[in-house]
Amino acid sequence: MSILPGRDWWTGLPPAAGAAVMATGILSVGLHLTGHEAASLAALVVAAALWLVLAADFTSRLLGDRGRFRAEADTPAALTAVAATTVIGARLLQQGWQTAAAVLFVVAAVLWPGLLFNVLRHWRRRMPGAAFLGCVATQGLSLLAASLADAAHHDLLARAALAAFCLGLLLYLAALFRFDLREVVGGKGDHWVAGGALSISALAGSKLTASPVWTGSAHTTLRTVTLVLLALSLVWYVVLLAAELRHPRPRYDIRRWATVFPLGMTATACLSVAEPAGVAWLRTLGEVLLWIAVGAWLLTFAALVAAHLTAGSGARDR
């Protein structure tokens, strides 16, 4: 399945296309944190444009094709709608656009319960990495809520962010018990979300740790949990990278955007955790991982273009 333009291309996008928004958006966040503002803004424009396309497709299906909407809303990939919205919101907040970020938070918060309930109802044993999107979407809400709470000095929102953070961790554990470990060596790309879910949890934790709302033992606990989550996400990173090298999967699949997202999220988590946790070397590690993620984005985009051109050539030959 391609996400390049063609006739009525935007009405044929699967929910998994939301991972492309997530991947591009989180790279924009990371590039902003490292001072590469021009590249960050370019990535933001791309992510926002694709988000608008997916939002239009989502609305079109909701209003005009209820059967397809219900079928797709039951799949874990549907939760990319929530996660992508929160990532874009977090980046807009970095620009100081608090009202726009708050609007996206409301949109994500409205979508989240219904989509999560539908997805959890259809969970089964031996699921792909997309099972972890329940955690990712919930931690995305925590991240954006904590960021907005800090910007607006809103203690109640900070406490809501903490509640979402804890729920996200429970959803991760639930998904872990259903994750098919064979995906590590045979997955099509979304198996990387097993690590990416921990990375976004660490990123949300870093925002909570930096909040003045939490002091004393609460702050210490949040710092410790955040560092543990980041360490576990780095372990997943090494394991998944080793599996990719041992069992290469070069063919393009739209789920490969769900590989780029965890790469970018792990880098951004390292960059964000470094200061509130007081671990300076994490920033250096984050910068290295960020450029790996940028390279992965470029390779995935090149593979997408190549796959589209090959498909177009085959269609003309027929």
Side-chain angles (χ1 to χ4, degrees), residues 101-174:
V103 169
L104 290 183
F105 173 74
V106 171
V107 170
V110 169
L111 292 175
W112 173 74
L115 289 175
L116 182 63
F117 177 74
N118 280 338
V119 169
L120 293 182
R121 281 196 310 125
H122 292 85
W123 263 11
R124 62 184 189 281
R125 297 184 63 184
R126 294 188 175 180
M127 294 186 67
F132 293 99
L133 286 170
C135 169
V136 171
T138 306
Q139 296 295 16
L141 281 173
S142 175
L143 166 64
L144 187 49
S147 301
L148 285 167
D150 183 53
H153 308 290
H154 200 301
D155 290 1
L156 183 60
L157 191 56
R159 297 182 189 283
L162 179 61
F165 176 73
C166 294
L167 177 58
L169 296 182
L170 292 176
L171 288 169
Y172 184 88
L173 290 174

Side-chain angles (χ1 to χ4, degrees), residues 184-281:
V184 172
V185 296
K188 302 300 183 181
D190 58 357
H191 55 293
W192 276 83
V193 185
L198 290 175
S199 297
I200 193 172
S201 297
L203 180 57
S206 74
K207 295 298 182 182
L208 290 167
T209 301
S211 172
V213 173
W214 316 109
T215 59
S217 59
H219 176 272
T220 301
T221 300
L222 278 170
R223 178 182 180 276
T224 301
V225 171
T226 297
L227 286 172
V228 169
L229 291 170
L230 183 59
L232 291 174
S233 73
L234 290 170
V235 170
W236 264 118
Y237 192 111
V238 173
V239 170
L240 292 167
L241 181 59
E244 292 280 356
L245 295 174
R246 181 68 178 82
H247 305 277
R249 284 149 273 184
R251 180 175 297 180
Y252 174 75
D253 188 291
I254 196 169
R255 286 167 289 185
R256 268 305 179 193
W257 292 106
T259 297
V260 181
F261 170 69
L263 293 174
M265 182 55 74
T266 303
T268 303
C270 288
L271 293 168
S272 297
V273 170
E275 183 176 346
V279 186
W281 60 266

Side-chain angles (χ1 to χ4, degrees), residues 305-316:
V305 172
H308 178 76
L309 293 175
T310 300
S313 176
R316 287 193 297 270

